[in-house]
Amino acid sequence: MQKSKITTIIIDDEKLAREITKGYLKNHPEVEILAECSNGFDAIKKINELKPDIIFLDIQMPKISGFEMLELLEEPPVIIFTTAFDHYAIKAFEVNAADYLLKPFSEDRFNDALKKSFNFLQDKFEHDAVIKNIIDYKDEKIEYLERVVIKEGSKISIIPVETIKWLEAQDDYVMINCDQGRFLKQKTMKFFENHLNENNFIRIHRSYIINVDFIQHLEQTGKESYQIILKNNKQLPVSKTGLAKLRNTL
């Protein structure tokens, strides 16, 4: 490596956990701690600004999880997950993260994880593929979304799914129409169709998914054509398949 030191940021909402990690790192003078963060929002800012080589990342944090945070990073570093929940640890293994540390972890176990992360740094291309696997894995494993995280420049918005009124296909993106406004998310309509509760959200057309709570009424516009009128008077077309789904759900 060209740099004299390997740089890192510690991300954990528990101060004691951050202190333990810092204590173990004192025996590794080759590693420089650039920052420590107690939440995902601060961590995104610090990672994009300081560009560390490695991060110690707690998965379960308030407001935004470690998995959600990864999706918003411009250049994800090598990751060592830290968690108190072993089911997350298993996930971390399955997606080939550099390593995971199940709290409470020993110094020997910490040293092993750090060594593995050094090996990951040797092959940046492989690491980028690992990051993509982690994000894809998160998308595959979640059952129903509870919120959608959007990053626009330096602004991060968290949208509770119950505030979403309808979704609209926009080429490689999906336009989310909700109480807070309109937001573009780089996902497919199929992703949202698979990860929104089908009792609340129905794909009524190849380009539209609606929240049934915002339906005002269904209107026939021709012999075999229908449209949905939402409570804000927005009119959306309904396909034959969408009509069948509506009839089965409502």
Side-chain angles (χ1 to χ4, degrees), residues 47-62:
I47 291 169
N48 288 336
E49 175 187 343
L50 301 175
K51 303 188 184 310
D53 298 311
I54 300 168
I55 57 173
F56 293 89
L57 177 60
D58 187 18
I59 296 173
Q60 192 72 35
M61 294 186 290

Side-chain angles (χ1 to χ4, degrees), residues 163-180:
T163 69
I164 297 174
K165 298 175 180 176
W166 80 94
L167 304 167
E168 183 175 348
Q170 297 276 344
D171 296 324
D172 295 332
Y173 293 79
V174 172
M175 178 67 78
I176 301 172
N177 297 272
C178 60
D179 288 346
Q180 300 93 323

Side-chain angles (χ1 to χ4, degrees), residues 11-13 38-44 47 55-73 79 81-83 85 87-88 91 134-135 138-139 142 145-149 156 158:
I11 306 151
D12 201 306
D13 61 319
S38 59
N39 63 72
F41 291 114
D42 288 344
I44 291 169
I47 291 169
I55 57 173
F56 293 89
L57 177 60
D58 187 18
I59 296 173
Q60 192 72 35
M61 294 186 290
K63 297 183 180 180
I64 182 171
S65 73
F67 282 129
E68 289 172 327
M69 201 200 78
L70 285 181
E71 194 175 351
L72 303 176
L73 295 178
I79 300 159
F81 285 118
T82 60
T83 177
F85 304 95
H87 60 283
Y88 283 130
K91 288 180 182 179
I134 291 172
I135 293 172
K138 173 179 71 66
D139 289 347
I142 55 175
L145 290 171
E146 296 180 353
R147 59 193 181 187
V148 180
V149 180
I156 296 171
I158 297 178

Side-chain angles (χ1 to χ4, degrees), residues 1 6-10 21-33 53-56 78-82 97-101 105-122:
M1 295 175 190
I6 295 168
T7 56
T8 188
I9 291 178
I10 302 166
T21 299
K22 284 194 296 182
Y24 289 159
L25 283 174
K26 286 181 180 177
N27 294 322
H28 294 272
E30 73 276 26
V31 180
E32 179 184 5
I33 302 172
D53 298 311
I54 300 168
I55 57 173
F56 293 89
V78 169
I79 300 159
I80 298 175
F81 285 118
T82 60
D99 206 351
Y100 81 95
L101 292 167
F105 46 85
S106 68
E107 186 167 4
D108 286 343
R109 182 68 189 87
F110 177 88
N111 291 338
D112 288 342
L114 193 62
K115 184 178 179 181
K116 288 180 183 178
S117 72
F118 291 168
N119 293 334
F120 267 64
L121 280 174
Q122 304 301 318

Side-chain angles (χ1 to χ4, degrees), residues 144-148 159-168 176-178 189 191-205 208-215 230 242 245-246 249-250:
Y144 292 131
L145 290 171
E146 296 180 353
R147 59 193 181 187
V148 180
I159 303 169
V161 295
E162 63 270 19
T163 69
I164 297 174
K165 298 175 180 176
W166 80 94
L167 304 167
E168 183 175 348
I176 301 172
N177 297 272
C178 60
M189 291 291 280
F191 167 80
F192 283 107
E193 185 180 14
N194 290 339
H195 295 97
L196 290 171
N197 190 327
E198 64 273 14
N199 293 320
N200 301 102
F201 290 89
I202 300 174
R203 188 166 188 173
I204 59 169
H205 186 274
Y208 299 101
I209 296 172
I210 59 165
N211 183 341
V212 297
D213 290 337
F214 288 92
I215 295 176
L230 299 182
K245 291 178 181 176
L246 276 171
T249 304
L250 301 178

Side-chain angles (χ1 to χ4, degrees), residues 219-226 240 243 247:
E219 184 175 276
Q220 188 167 6
T221 56
K223 185 178 180 181
E224 293 184 345
S225 60
Y226 291 82
K240 289 183 179 178
L243 182 63
R247 285 173 169 163

